[in-house]
Amino acid sequence: MPVLNWFKRHLVVIAGLLTLGYLLLPNIVVTVFSFNKPKGRFNYEWQQFSLDAWKDPCGVAGMCGSLSLSLQIAIWATIGATLLGTMIAFALVRYRFRARGAVNSLIFLPMAMPEVVMAASLLTLFLNLGAQLGFYTILIAHIMFCLSFVVVAVKARVLSMDPRLEQAAQDLYAGPAQTFLRVTLPIAAPGIAAGAMLAFALSFDDFIITNFNAGSTVTFPMFVWGSAQRGTPVQINVIGTAMFLIAVLLVLTSMVIGNRRNRQKA
């Protein structure tokens, strides 16, 4: 039974590839239909190969404006959530203070709470404060729910750090700022980068919380939802494919850089 033995030896690899293929299947469908030329309003059936949508990705009125707005919100939300989340993670790991356990528990609430509950709560807060719904209310809401994910990612990295490396830097007469910038921050950088990328992805494609707190502002996910009621333009698939390819390129670039560094160390 050589075939059966081979299958048993590679069972984990086969299962991993099948799972990966299942996860990537929606992206493949989006990519394929970005080259479609539908006869009607809906891009749900393959009709004809065309590059028209790729030649004019902003051909649909308002789409690129909403995309630009979503990118701006995602970038600022990533910066805010990463800065705050990194400081919170270091504080929770390195310091002992009152209510530390309560803060640890509260950090997980946005992750465990249904988005519609958080969205309604934030809307109530903004209305009670008399805030005008728009760019800044969306930004505040995104920083709030992205913060927990950044804290968890950075905290896991900080917990795995060896404190003797920082002690060695201090023994070599490095000050607190030098120790942090040259030892602590480079070691924690992978966790910070992971939290930042996760925050960007969560902010960019959020719909529920944004829909509650956007007012008349239209982000890209809201534009996609509105377009689906009237007919989905092919340009939406083009933007989705481009974002997917950029994400894959960033991951591959980071892997190449990491492999080069490992070879240099070896």
Side-chain angles (χ1 to χ4, degrees), residues 231-247:
T232 309
V234 184
Q235 283 81 354
I236 289 178
N237 296 66
V238 173
I239 298 300
T241 301
M243 295 297 294
F244 173 71
L245 293 177
I246 291 172

Side-chain angles (χ1 to χ4, degrees), residues 71 84 246:
L71 289 173
L84 293 174
I246 291 172

Side-chain angles (χ1 to χ4, degrees), residues 33-34 64 89 129 138 159 162 193 266:
F33 276 84
S34 68
C64 283
L129 293 175
I138 298 174
L159 284 171
D162 189 350

Side-chain angles (χ1 to χ4, degrees), residues 63-226:
M63 190 182 72
C64 283
S66 64
L67 175 63
S68 175
L69 181 63
S70 286
L71 289 173
Q72 291 178 48
I73 293 174
I75 291 172
W76 285 111
T78 300
I79 294 173
T82 303
L83 290 174
L84 293 174
T86 300
M87 290 188 289
I88 293 173
F90 271 95
L92 290 174
V93 174
R94 296 293 180 85
Y95 299 97
R96 299 292 182 267
F97 52 89
R98 291 183 179 180
R100 179 171 173 268
V103 173
N104 265 316
S105 301
L106 289 173
I107 287 297
F108 287 95
L109 277 182
M111 302 173 64
M113 185 184 301
E115 282 195 42
V116 66
V117 176
M118 182 184 296
S121 301
L122 287 169
L123 176 61
T124 303
L125 174 63
F126 292 138
L127 292 178
N128 288 333
L129 293 175
Q132 183 178 359
L133 299 181
F135 180 90
Y136 292 104
T137 55
I138 298 174
L139 179 60
I140 293 171
H142 283 204
I143 291 176
M144 180 177 176
F145 78 80
C146 290
L147 187 62
S148 299
F149 295 91
V150 176
V151 171
V152 171
V154 178
K155 184 181 175 183
R157 181 64 178 178
V158 176
L159 284 171
S160 65
M161 291 172 56
D162 189 350
R164 291 176 295 182
L165 297 175
E166 295 169 296
Q167 294 171 4
Q170 293 170 359
D171 289 341
L172 295 173
Y173 303 103
Q178 286 181 309
T179 302
F180 179 79
L181 293 175
R182 297 190 178 186
V183 179
T184 308
L185 189 59
I187 297 175
I192 297 173
M197 289 189 291
L198 184 58
F200 181 87
L202 290 170
S203 175
F204 180 78
D205 74 347
D206 178 76
F207 173 78
I208 298 177
I209 294 177
T210 304
N211 190 40
F212 271 76
N213 300 280
S216 60
T217 304
V218 179
T219 61
F220 185 67
M222 295 175 65
F223 178 87
V224 173
W225 179 81

